[in-house]
Structures are given as C-alpha cells and as structure tokens.
Amino acid sequence: MASVCGGCLAMLDAGVPLTDPVAGIAMGLILEPDGSYVVLSDIQGSEDALGDMDFKVAGSARGVSAFQMDIKVEGITLDIMRQALGQAAAGRAYILTQMEACSPPPARALSSWAPKVALLSVPPEKLGMLIGPGGKTIKGIIAESGAADIVINNSGSIQIVAPTEAVLAKAREMIALQLDELPVGTILRQRRVSSVTLFGLFVELAPGKNGLVHLSELAEEGTLAEVPPEWKVGSLMDVMFIGTTADNKTRLSHKGVLLTDAGKPYSWAGPVSSSSGIGSSGRDRDSSSENRPGASSSSSSSGGSSSSSGGSRWYSGPGADGDGYQPRTPRRDGEAA
C-alpha cells in the first residue's frame, strides 16, 4: 500500500492530471479460537505471514476505489469487516493529510520533460488535404513543426505528440492553416510572401499552402493599383485570416492587421465563408496567432484552482478548468467510452 501512496505522489509531482489523491492501507487480523480478535492497521510482512487476514483498501477522501483481501480462516464476520473498513477509512484519511503536506508540494503542472499530446477533430472529408499525395503534406508538417508524430484516424480525430508546448502549438496551427480551420480574424505574424501577381500577392501559411492578399486588402485605406515594390518574394508580412471563397481559396488581409493594430474597426464584406476553428481538446495557441480584438473567447489561468466546471485542486495545468485537455491515448475508432 505504500506503493499506492508513493505512486500517487509521483504522478502528482510529474503533473499527471488527477481529480483526487489516492492512498492505501492494509488491515490485518489476529483471530483466537474463542472468537476474540484484533484488527491491525498498516500490517507489515510479519503480520501478513502470521496473521489471519490481509485486507488492502485504497481510495480517496471521497471513498474506496479498490480493495483486495486474503484470508486464512473459514470466514469473516460482519463485525470484523465493519471494524476493518472503519479503521481503513481513518488510516486513509490520516495518510492523505500527510501526503497533502508533503514537501516539496506536487508540481500541479506537466513536467517539462513529459511528452505533450493534443487531440484534434477535423471534418473527415478534409483528411485528404491534410495528408497530401503520398503523405507529403503531413510529413512536411511533422518535419517543419518538429512534432514527434501525428496520427490521423479515418473518423477525423488527430493525435499530435510533441516534445514541447511550443512545438505542439506550431503543429496544431499548421494543421489548422492547411485545412482553413482557423477562426476568422486570426492574425498570423511574419509570414513569407511566396509570389506576387497583378491582382495581389500570395503568402505561404504552411508547406504547400498559400493564401491570397488581394490589392484591396494591402493598404489601410482604399485599393492599390499594384503591389508596392517593398513587397516582394521572401518578404515577411503580417496577415489576417478572413475566410475562404466559394471555390475553397484562402483569403488573407494585411489591411485587417493594420487597422486592428491601430485599434480601428475592420470587417470583411467579401464572398468568403467563415470558420469556427478546429475542434480541439487543447486550448494553447502559438504566440504568433492572435484572435482579433473584440472576439469572444474564454480561457482560464493555468494556475487556477478547482471550479464547478470540473477542475481539480490537485492539477492546474492544461485541462484543469475542465476543457478536456489531458494527455492520454486516444480511443480507437468505434471503441466505447
């Protein structure tokens, strides 16, 4: 049972999300022929070998989560069980108070050395765009982002495994850019100009993925007659994602960034479809992406405490506010919850 307590402390120290800490205690029994007995708490090897019962009970302050019993007598009475469970509850409560007072305290966040995992959900019909011919697109995303692996299921669920939060955020953003699943109004900083045309210029968003900045979206006011000479192939430009056209062409705006940075209102009235963003069990974003001012959003501090939304006082990292971001192995297609 010490391994139950130590294992729980080890997981807390590693930042593994737990709703409650768990402790364990073992109850023993010395039973005399005349029926008299003594219930022992926290038995050791000698009591286990010479005693008549080994009753292991593990759980949290809210109740028992597991138990196991070995007995060497013909039966255990209800009175013995009642006393054993009562002593186990008292002992477990005491051990939990000692665990809570441990020093140093639990990390309450994932270790910097722990792999970072995110689960995304995209429309299945867009998986071909993400994979690319012969897997070229997804391989390019893995190579450029630095992700350890990206696993795609036919249902549209995607698992990203990365060594750091920054790499994880970059891979998620590249997937969203590839599929045009960013929220409309997202600002993308320092993106490379890939080509210049008579009607505007194209900016590279991800490997093999470009978006058009029309002449009408280059300047803060009006529509330019041509692309200014300072904008050439290789230049870096801040752009805003404003949606996709009816034929699935990505549209971007430099004007939107200029107005937003100046604190002025901007709205795009062109023929584009809006996107609400990839369904995700994670909430971190790369620092190079911003939602436009005024857009409604919600997030919680990673240092927050438990809330009614399902948070945990034992973990305050990603997912502590109940948004579901918890590193875990994704279910296989068709596997029951």
Side-chain angles (χ1 to χ4, degrees), residues 131-153:
I131 297 172
K136 180 179 179 180
T137 301
I138 192 64
K139 290 177 182 177
I141 292 176
I142 292 174
E144 185 168 329
S145 67
D149 194 17
I150 298 178
V151 180
I152 301 174
N153 294 319

Side-chain angles (χ1 to χ4, degrees), residues 29-39 52 80:
L29 174 69
I30 302 297
L31 181 63
E32 297 296 339
D34 61 1
S36 59
Y37 63 89
V38 175
V39 176
D52 298 313
I80 295 176

